[in-house]
Amino acid sequence: PDEFRAPFRSDLPALFLIAEQDGRTFAAEQQQNASQFSQSHSIMIQGAGHDSFMHEPEVIRRISHFLSNGTVDTDQIQLPLPPFASVSTKPSGN
């Protein structure tokens, strides 16, 4: 129903983890959702896709900090690039 999609307001503290490379939940949509919470906090996670960052120790530390204190101590986390396999540029000789 339309009521489900209607804007709302909340005074509850909320933490939004926004993955820079998220192909399912775009950053602009997350920021729009965050704007509906008067006590919203957002952390942009550079180099991450949808849910790919949830095992990262730094992300877990920031979530724990928010749950303990209701605040965030950064607005951005830079994750390391994933390892990529080497690709040979030499002809295979076949």
Side-chain angles (χ1 to χ4, degrees):
D2 289 337
E3 298 85 36
F4 177 76
R5 292 170 183 77
F8 69 95
R9 296 295 304 162
S10 176
D11 293 328
L12 294 173
L15 175 62
F16 289 84
L17 302 172
I18 303 172
E20 175 191 38
Q21 303 297 322
D22 194 334
R24 285 192 249 170
T25 309
F26 300 106
E29 292 173 358
Q30 288 284 67
Q31 291 163 341
Q32 181 180 7
N33 289 335
S35 73
Q36 298 179 98
F37 289 79
S38 63
Q39 297 185 63
S40 71
H41 302 275
S42 298
I43 299 175
M44 175 65 74
I45 304 172
Q46 303 291 330
H50 191 83
D51 290 343
S52 67
F53 55 85
M54 292 305 294
H55 65 281
E56 293 290 336
E58 184 62 17
V59 173
I60 294 167
R61 189 183 77 70
R62 305 297 173 128
I63 293 170
S64 296
H65 179 85
F66 176 77
L67 293 174
S68 298
N69 303 308
T71 62
V72 295
D73 53 359
T74 188
D75 61 356
Q76 194 171 77
I77 297 171
Q78 177 67 54
L79 296 184
L81 290 174
F84 291 100
S86 297
V87 178
S88 175
T89 57
K90 296 180 183 178
S92 64
N94 293 342

